[in-house]
Amino acid sequence: MEKGVALSARSSIGTATAWIDRHVARLGAEEIRLAGALGRVLAQEVAAAEDLPPCDRAAVDGLAVLADETAGASAYNPLGFRLAAAGAALAPNTGRLLNAGEPLPEGADAVLPLAYVEASAAGRCEIIEAVSPGFGVERQGVQWMRGLGLLRSGRLLRPQDIGLLAAAGALRLRVYRRPRVQCLLPAWNGAAPAGEERDVNGPLLHGLIERDGGIVTDLRHVERNLAAIGEALSRAADADLILIAGGTGPGANDASAQALRASGELAIHGVALRPGETAGLGRTGAGLPVFLLPGAPSSCLWAYEFLAGRAIRRCGGRNPALPFPVRAMTADRKIVSDLGMTEICPVHCVGDDRIEAVPAFAETGLAALAAADGFVILAEGSEGVAQGSRVDVYWHEEDGSDWAGRGAETTG
Amino acid sequence: MEKGVALSARSSIGTATAWIDRHVARLGAEEIRLAGALGRVLAQEVAAAEDLPPCDRAAVDGLAVLADETAGASAYNPLGFRLAAAGAALAPNTGRLLNAGEPLPEGADAVLPLAYVEASAAGRCEIIEAVSPGFGVERQGVQWMRGLGLLRSGRLLRPQDIGLLAAAGALRLRVYRRPRVQCLLPAWNGAAPAGEERDVNGPLLHGLIERDGGIVTDLRHVERNLAAIGEALSRAADADLILIAGGTGPGANDASAQALRASGELAIHGVALRPGETAGLGRTGAGLPVFLLPGAPSSCLWAYEFLAGRAIRRCGGRNPALPFPVRAMTADRKIVSDLGMTEICPVHCVGDDRIEAVPAFAETGLAALAAADGFVILAEGSEGVAQGSRVDVYWHEEDGSDWAGRGAETTG
């Protein structure tokens, strides 16, 4: 709850974002095995090292034949073929039974499906259908030719990409390093005081950082004073980024901003974002980006999503934008917003294509968000959304808690 | 590539789906720590055990006062207050400096922000603004009242839910067990023959199962014969589900379906899904659900998504539907489809709101999918999508590989 907090000059989200994009660089790459690559970000292009298939091969289970020799075959005019063993090229009027995927033998140019092949005497069969050259054959290179670009650098690897890389024989890959993040939680005496929130920001940030591909290398409470926070900032050698959650306000005990200023550079303090307006950012003397996140959990969340999270996603080579699908929907009721602030408003569906604000968001914090289907961003220059107008809704992942009610069950 | 495969009777996707929903039950629950709960599915409702905040507390850094005593204060008429130490109730004309989040002392009913408080002599201050009762106070229970339902059973836990649960003191939770999945990959001689695909389905299925919250307990090659597959089916004691990838066709060496029939029940063999039509499903003698997935990787993928994946998502308490956001878009060109088959067609964007089919999908398999932005499902009763008509697009997760080109950078 940040009522009444007044920082001298708030930066716009655009200014803060531009600072991040200027000062937070993508990390270097590391080589990993394909088995651990799901959810990692490619730091190389992957091109096909060879054709796929590498040779003409059977597309179906059937009899490999020379198509010309099947001319005239039908159920009324079965043609006799010898069955050849594996290995040699096919002799005239000879076929070989293949499983789908097996290479076509020399002398064959088609595969007659098993449905048209009838066993007769031992080592012989009859065929009851004629085929043309290429029938039942998967041609060399039809899936891809050697040299074809399969995946671009920057790809967030999905399960089917893992399959594709396996097919291409790319069993080791270069991916961007996962950002290592240190989280400091200033508290008055090294722990949350009586009556204050429980440690909510620690678990919250851990989950957010994990979602965005980062690794929490250290998450700990520090005393809420200049010396303790400054000391922690100066020792953060094993991290790529530092997050400080709490102590960001203008009060006497809000030492986080002062500690960052003393330690290096406090580039921005105060952001025109609600919730989240006491957020800040800067760098340690050693040049590590530091993000100041307000201590109230819902403010901490949104300052993370717009600022720290953007930096972490960017470091790791991910899309730095908010990691939610966006859907244009209609506002069922007016949503009011203050000029000069980027405001976040959790919304829920009230119909197929209509949303309304979750009531009393400012006061109910994370509980309101839990009840929401998504959120809208009310831009700095906006006074809100008129009833009936279209608005971009950032959509939360679907879950199983009420799919039965929503009919998602029927899809697929 | 499954050209020419003809199974005697193909089941519709609807029939196969109904079988899964009838025979695959949600697993039991287990208790875990909150720290490991991201991405797990709640198996209980979580209600608030106490009010939040648990008492009236400071919403801002400031001076806790009795509001009536501030009447008339202004910059022209500063009022003097004594500063009280922590502990006791406030005496008349006394205030106490609080940090945001600290409990309001007895005798106070408002918190005057620091901006309106000026230190004067030691132990004294002057205030330059009047406030009404409740100002700067976060009231007991304003975030939630004891007993309020916070999260429902079935919730797929997001980072902000983890924060919410921490705030509610729910440090241990009941969640659905993760489905344990055994994958069998029949091959002719225990390994992929020369010229056949590399082991693509193993890594592919591993990634898909992980995405859907399952655990691969065992993934191994077995010989492609009735005895070997039957033996593996009879020993699968540590799994909740079994997937067999390969050997599902009607050919002589396609022993997977026969092995399942011999081992228990082959309920469905052949599904009107393309790619994926030789898929099947049934149960072992011990009642474990078994899914037969075609060996061609793109067929394996889609049979997984529609059948095995649905079962895994269902077992684990997730939404069983396809795990992709859906967006209605316009077909820039006609997309052709066969009546009687549910067909999957990868598509890519050709404008803000327009898609077209990725060409030559049937032949290029996973490579076409890698180039796609999503896919459309052409239903069994459909002959395709007319140019200019609206169609539901199942959307792939955004990644960083071309966000610069797409302008996603500007969002957030």
Side-chain angles (χ1 to χ4, degrees):
Chain A
M1 308 299 104
E2 295 170 286
K3 288 171 227 152
V5 166
L7 288 162
S8 48
R10 288 197 206 91
S11 298
S12 71
I13 276 293
T15 302
T17 296
W19 188 94
I20 293 167
D21 294 350
R22 220 164 39 239
H23 292 99
V24 178
R26 200 153 56 186
L27 298 172
E30 62 184 349
E31 194 178 277
I32 61 164
R33 294 179 55 223
L34 180 59
L38 186 68
R40 299 299 298 268
V41 178
L42 263 187
Q44 59 169 100
E45 181 178 330
V46 176
E50 52 183 44
D51 295 350
L52 187 74
C55 58
D56 291 352
R57 63 187 181 189
V60 296
D61 296 336
L63 188 70
V65 292
L66 191 62
D68 282 356
E69 296 179 347
T70 67
S74 75
Y76 303 103
N77 182 34
L79 298 182
F81 271 69
R82 282 190 301 279
L83 290 174
L90 290 187
N93 284 97
T94 301
R96 181 183 304 151
L97 289 168
L98 296 184
N99 296 300
E102 285 188 295
L104 221 58
E106 205 183 313
D109 61 5
V111 178
L112 193 68
L114 287 182
Y116 307 126
V117 181
E118 291 169 356
S120 50
R124 298 195 60 85
C125 66
E126 291 189 327
I127 66 166
I128 57 167
E129 184 77 33
V131 287
S132 46
F135 189 92
V137 175
E138 191 188 13
R139 291 279 189 207
Q140 177 177 344
V142 75
Q143 293 198 42
W144 61 64
M145 308 284 272
R146 181 182 168 181
L148 178 74
L150 298 175
L151 291 172
R152 281 191 279 182
S153 185
R155 176 77 160 200
L156 180 61
L157 293 170
R158 306 164 187 158
Q160 58 268 44
D161 297 333
I162 303 298
L164 179 66
L165 290 165
L171 302 182
R172 297 192 71 83
L173 307 162
R174 291 187 68 72
V175 296
Y176 291 110
R177 265 210 301 113
R178 296 178 61 186
R180 292 164 307 176
V181 185
Q182 182 179 44
C183 297
L184 303 175
L185 305 168
W188 280 277
N189 52 3
E196 208 205 17
E197 285 99 333
R198 293 192 170 87
D199 176 17
V200 175
N201 293 329
L204 173 66
L205 289 173
H206 207 291
L208 290 164
I209 293 165
E210 194 179 325
R211 180 201 65 191
D212 285 341
I215 301 171
V216 177
T217 54
D218 184 25
L219 188 153
R220 66 187 143 107
H221 295 269
V222 294
E223 285 191 52
R224 187 178 283 213
N225 62 56
L226 204 56
I229 301 174
E231 159 81 6
L233 285 176
S234 69
R235 284 187 306 155
D238 189 37
D240 299 306
L241 295 135
I242 304 174
L243 275 44
I244 306 180
T248 61
N253 282 298
D254 288 321
S256 297
Q258 296 172 58
L260 176 55
R261 186 186 286 116
S263 143
E265 177 196 4
L266 177 65
I268 289 177
H269 188 207
V271 175
L273 173 68
R274 187 178 293 155
E277 55 191 297
T278 64
L281 45 78
R283 287 184 290 186
T284 64
L288 282 189
V290 179
F291 294 85
L292 307 179
L293 310 175
S298 63
S299 304
C300 180
L301 170 65
W302 292 109
Y304 175 89
E305 294 287 24
F306 278 80
L307 305 174
R310 181 182 184 87
I312 291 170
R313 296 186 291 267
R314 194 177 169 82
C315 266
R318 295 195 176 202
N319 184 339
L322 293 171
F324 306 101
V326 183
R327 197 183 288 190
M329 299 182 78
T330 300
D332 207 48
R333 297 181 188 206
K334 182 176 172 180
I335 303 175
V336 181
S337 156
D338 285 346
L339 260 181
M341 294 292 275
T342 298
E343 291 190 74
I344 308 304
C345 176
V347 298
H348 57 73
C349 282
V350 289
D352 251 10
D353 183 45
R354 306 178 75 80
I355 51 100
E356 65 177 33
V358 171
F361 169 59
E363 300 202 319
T364 55
L366 294 179
L369 202 60
D373 294 310
F375 61 92
V376 300
I377 300 173
L378 304 158
E380 243 176 272
S382 152
E383 293 186 83
V385 175
Q387 184 177 21
S389 65
R390 297 291 279 180
V391 57
D392 276 346
V393 178
Y394 291 75
W395 202 253
H396 289 144
E397 210 175 335
E398 297 272 350
D399 62 50
S401 60
D402 46 10
W403 50 263
R406 271 191 208 157
E409 175 72 9
T410 59
T411 313
Chain B
M1 307 300 103
E2 296 170 285
K3 288 170 225 152
V5 166
L7 288 161
S8 47
R10 288 196 205 92
S11 299
S12 72
I13 277 292
T15 303
T17 296
W19 188 94
I20 293 167
D21 294 350
R22 218 164 40 239
H23 292 99
V24 178
R26 202 153 53 184
L27 298 172
E30 61 184 348
E31 194 178 278
I32 61 164
R33 295 179 54 222
L34 180 59
L38 185 67
R40 299 297 299 266
V41 178
L42 264 185
Q44 60 171 96
E45 180 176 330
V46 176
E50 52 184 46
D51 296 350
L52 187 73
C55 59
D56 291 353
R57 64 185 181 188
V60 296
D61 295 337
L63 189 72
V65 292
L66 191 62
D68 283 353
E69 296 179 346
T70 67
S74 74
Y76 303 102
N77 181 36
L79 298 182
F81 272 70
R82 282 190 301 280
L83 290 174
L90 290 186
N93 283 99
T94 302
R96 181 182 305 148
L97 289 169
L98 296 183
N99 297 300
E102 286 188 295
L104 221 58
E106 205 184 314
D109 61 3
V111 177
L112 192 68
L114 287 182
Y116 307 124
V117 181
E118 290 169 359
S120 49
R124 298 195 61 85
C125 66
E126 292 189 323
I127 67 164
I128 57 168
E129 183 78 31
V131 289
S132 46
F135 190 93
V137 175
E138 192 189 14
R139 291 276 189 211
Q140 177 176 342
V142 74
Q143 292 199 41
W144 62 65
M145 307 284 271
R146 180 182 169 182
L148 177 74
L150 298 174
L151 291 173
R152 281 192 276 183
S153 185
R155 176 77 159 199
L156 179 62
L157 294 170
R158 306 165 186 159
Q160 57 268 41
D161 298 334
I162 303 298
L164 179 67
L165 291 165
L171 302 183
R172 297 192 69 84
L173 307 162
R174 290 187 68 72
V175 295
Y176 291 109
R177 266 208 303 111
R178 296 178 62 186
R180 292 165 307 175
V181 185
Q182 182 179 46
C183 297
L184 304 175
L185 305 168
W188 280 278
N189 51 3
E196 207 205 18
E197 284 99 333
R198 294 191 168 89
D199 176 17
V200 175
N201 293 329
L204 173 67
L205 289 173
H206 206 291
L208 290 164
I209 293 164
E210 195 179 325
R211 180 201 67 193
D212 285 342
I215 301 172
V216 178
T217 54
D218 184 26
L219 188 153
R220 66 187 144 106
H221 294 269
V222 294
E223 285 192 52
R224 186 178 283 212
N225 62 57
L226 204 55
I229 301 173
E231 159 82 6
L233 285 176
S234 68
R235 284 187 305 156
D238 188 38
D240 299 305
L241 295 134
I242 304 173
L243 276 43
I244 307 180
T248 61
N253 282 299
D254 288 320
S256 298
Q258 296 173 57
L260 176 55
R261 185 185 288 116
S263 143
E265 178 196 4
L266 176 65
I268 289 178
H269 188 208
V271 176
L273 172 68
R274 185 178 295 156
E277 58 192 295
T278 63
L281 45 77
R283 288 184 289 187
T284 65
L288 283 189
V290 179
F291 293 85
L292 307 178
L293 309 175
S298 64
S299 304
C300 181
L301 169 65
W302 292 109
Y304 175 90
E305 294 287 25
F306 279 80
L307 306 174
R310 181 182 185 87
I312 290 170
R313 295 185 293 268
R314 193 176 171 83
C315 266
R318 296 196 176 201
N319 183 339
L322 293 171
F324 306 101
V326 182
R327 195 183 288 190
M329 298 180 80
T330 300
D332 207 49
R333 299 181 188 203
K334 182 176 172 180
I335 302 175
V336 181
S337 156
D338 285 348
L339 260 179
M341 294 291 275
T342 298
E343 292 190 72
I344 309 304
C345 177
V347 298
H348 57 73
C349 283
V350 290
D352 252 11
D353 182 46
R354 306 179 75 80
I355 50 99
E356 64 176 34
V358 171
F361 169 59
E363 300 202 318
T364 56
L366 295 180
L369 202 60
D373 294 310
F375 61 92
V376 301
I377 300 173
L378 304 158
E380 241 176 275
S382 151
E383 293 186 83
V385 174
Q387 184 177 21
S389 65
R390 297 291 280 180
V391 57
D392 277 346
V393 178
Y394 291 74
W395 202 250
H396 289 144
E397 210 175 336
E398 297 271 349
D399 62 50
S401 61
D402 47 10
W403 49 264
R406 268 192 211 157
E409 174 73 9
T410 60
T411 315

